[in-house]
Amino acid sequence: MNIFKIILVAVGVIIAAMLAFSVIGIVYSALWYLFLLGIVAIGGAVGYKLLTKGKESRQLNENTPIAIAEMDNADRTLEEYRRKYLPK
């Protein structure tokens, strides 16, 4: 009966070790796939930023900046200021 218990314990230890190694393998695989997915996501984000960079700069060049748009009225405003506040 003692030999039977030793054999059962040995089989139990072997099965527990196999289960532990399989769990470790699943966790390792999951971490590896997450790492690869992160690399692909970062590459996609960088590629998207590089591809859309030209469109953003074209949109900025098409719009007239506010300071230049206000310069159209600057001469008239300057004349009004001179007339009102500067001594003659």
Side-chain angles (χ1 to χ4, degrees):
M1 199 66 161
N2 243 354
I3 295 175
F4 185 67
K5 286 182 181 179
I6 293 174
I7 292 172
L8 284 177
V9 169
V11 169
V13 168
I14 291 172
I15 291 174
M18 290 172 66
L19 287 173
F21 285 136
S22 67
V23 169
I24 291 171
I26 290 171
V27 170
Y28 177 76
S29 296
L31 289 175
W32 180 249
Y33 282 122
L34 284 174
F35 177 73
L36 290 178
L37 184 65
I39 289 175
V40 170
I42 290 173
V46 169
Y48 178 76
K49 290 286 186 183
L50 288 175
L51 290 175
T52 58
K53 183 179 180 183
K55 292 179 184 176
E56 291 174 0
S57 64
R58 275 187 256 130
Q59 289 175 351
L60 288 177
N61 290 336
E62 290 173 0
N63 296 336
T64 304
I66 294 172
I68 294 175
E70 292 175 353
M71 291 298 289
D72 296 337
N73 298 328
D75 291 334
R76 184 169 29 119
T77 306
L78 183 61
E79 289 300 322
E80 289 176 9
Y81 178 79
R82 283 180 183 162
R83 193 172 354 108
K84 288 181 183 178
Y85 298 108
L86 292 179
K88 294 181 183 179

